Amino acid sequence: MPLDPEAQRIIDRTPAEDPNASGPLDVVAMREGFQQMWKMPDPLPEVGSVVNTTIPGPGGDLPVRIYTPEGEGPFPAFVWFHGGGWTIGGLDENEFSCRAVCAAADTIVMSVDYRLAPENPFPAAADDAYAAVAWVAEHGAEIGADPAPSPGGVGGRPPTGKLPRIATGGESAGGNLAAVAALKARDLGGPEIALQVLVSPVLGHPDDGRASYSEFSEGYFLSKSSMDWFFVTYPTGPDDLDNPYLLPLRSKDLTGVAPALILGAEYDVLRDEGEEYGARLAEAGVRTEVVRCDGLIHAFFGPLATELSAAEKARDRAAAALRAAFGTDGR
């Protein structure tokens, strides 16, 4: 499908990378440039409440932003991780999408401000992601969530015939962390996760040879060179690249992982690895839905949510999948 005209306008206004630039990129400049490029949308979707607080994390207090829907709880919980190559970004650029999903899925959304590299390299972000999910399982009542399984059944999972009420989700590096949290939950004895919503997730390496990295290496908002830099910044060394908690596609066994909804942009270097991960999950017997969002570019779900009309369909799909996974379609 042709590039969405709204996506083309975003690309046209995005500063081109300097092919003659030399030396390492500066993380402070990258963060400042990202903040200057993005503005908080107005108006924002209405929800019951938005609260900034902290929860205990492996490296100290972990900032989180909790979105609660209108109405009477307790509610299921959707733990969300922002993108930014594990290096840049924060809670604000996901404000619109977190509110929209909170209202549409009738779920609490806990957006997590995990530790960033290079100050906190791998596995800091992965550890924070799993800790946040585990905290919700143990302390959900403190934020109005009821993560305990409720009667029901989706696709034969879980075997007890009850539905867990925790889901993970994220975009780009946040999608990576949502997938990693689901892997860790399987490997470390829980908590049981109802669904992982992976939006343009980072699951493999830029040099793995996937076609989307060649087709969209530059000129489509997220470049291969940016991804190369993130992979210099986040891992501590080459050995980390073999760790499935950094790159889930390195996992030799995906059986028993939570069901997944994978949403990918057509014009994105990360497109093929998301679709490959979906195929791997399905081969392992995991209920998986993979959706290619035609005409769209990277960051369509969060930072560019209000500028890409077609992204609304993706948010609606995520909300519907969450309702089905939580068993709250008729709530």
Side-chain angles (χ1 to χ4, degrees):
M1 183 174 175
L3 187 65
D4 186 298
E6 292 176 334
Q8 184 64 66
R9 286 196 288 273
I10 293 168
I11 291 170
D12 290 344
R13 72 155 195 251
T14 302
E17 295 182 10
D18 183 359
N20 299 313
S22 59
L25 294 173
D26 181 270
V27 67
V28 174
M30 287 279 286
R31 289 170 181 166
E32 290 178 352
F34 182 77
Q35 286 295 324
Q36 292 172 5
M37 184 178 66
W38 184 86
K39 293 182 179 180
M40 181 71 75
D42 184 28
L44 293 166
E46 292 290 336
V47 295
S49 67
V50 180
V51 176
N52 290 311
T53 186
T54 61
I55 63 174
D61 286 346
L62 195 57
V64 297
R65 184 170 295 170
I66 297 168
Y67 304 83
T68 303
E70 296 180 345
E72 184 177 352
F75 300 95
F78 182 39
V79 185
W80 177 261
F81 306 101
H82 67 81
W86 310 282
T87 306
I88 61 177
L91 304 180
D92 286 348
E93 68 267 18
N94 287 260
E95 184 76 11
F96 186 94
S97 56
C98 284
R99 284 170 169 263
V101 171
C102 169
D106 202 28
T107 182
I108 285 175
V109 177
M110 187 173 84
S111 186
V112 182
D113 200 9
Y114 54 88
R115 289 173 290 171
L116 298 178
E119 298 90 341
N120 299 282
F122 177 79
D127 289 346
D128 286 352
Y130 177 66
V133 174
W135 184 89
V136 170
E138 293 292 328
H139 302 277
E142 296 179 23
I143 59 171
D146 176 18
S150 60
V154 170
R157 265 193 105 256
T160 60
K162 294 183 177 181
L163 292 175
R165 286 163 57 90
I166 302 175
T168 65
E171 186 169 24
S172 194
N176 168 276
L177 296 176
V180 167
L183 279 174
K184 282 183 167 247
R186 179 201 63 176
D187 296 344
L188 302 177
E192 193 154 29
I193 293 173
L195 183 70
Q196 45 180 329
V197 180
L198 312 180
V199 184
S200 303
V202 182
L203 302 162
H205 192 273
D207 294 333
D208 284 346
R210 295 181 180 88
S212 57
Y213 258 104
S214 299
E215 295 172 21
F216 312 117
S217 63
E218 57 181 292
Y220 292 93
F221 193 73
L222 175 67
S223 66
K224 181 181 184 300
S225 61
S226 292
M227 288 304 304
D228 288 338
W229 182 72
F230 293 140
F231 272 96
V232 169
T233 307
Y234 182 48
T236 58
D239 289 348
D240 287 347
L241 301 180
D242 293 325
N243 192 325
Y245 295 157
L246 193 150
L247 295 179
L249 271 169
R250 300 294 197 259
S251 176
K252 295 180 173 60
D253 179 16
L254 293 173
T255 58
V257 178
L261 170 64
I262 301 175
L263 302 169
E266 180 181 9
Y267 292 83
D268 187 357
V269 293
L270 300 176
R271 183 194 68 195
D272 289 356
E273 60 202 74
E275 295 180 358
E276 181 180 335
Y277 195 61
R280 286 274 315 278
L281 288 170
E283 289 169 3
V286 176
R287 182 172 54 84
T288 305
E289 181 182 9
V290 178
V291 179
R292 180 182 291 187
C293 299
D294 294 335
L296 293 186
I297 57 175
H298 192 75
F300 68 90
F301 197 90
L304 303 178
T306 60
E307 299 188 66
L308 294 167
S309 303
E312 183 176 1
K313 295 179 181 178
R315 292 193 301 276
D316 289 345
R317 200 152 195 165
L322 287 165
R323 281 183 170 275
F326 294 142
T328 57
D329 289 48
R331 179 178 172 123

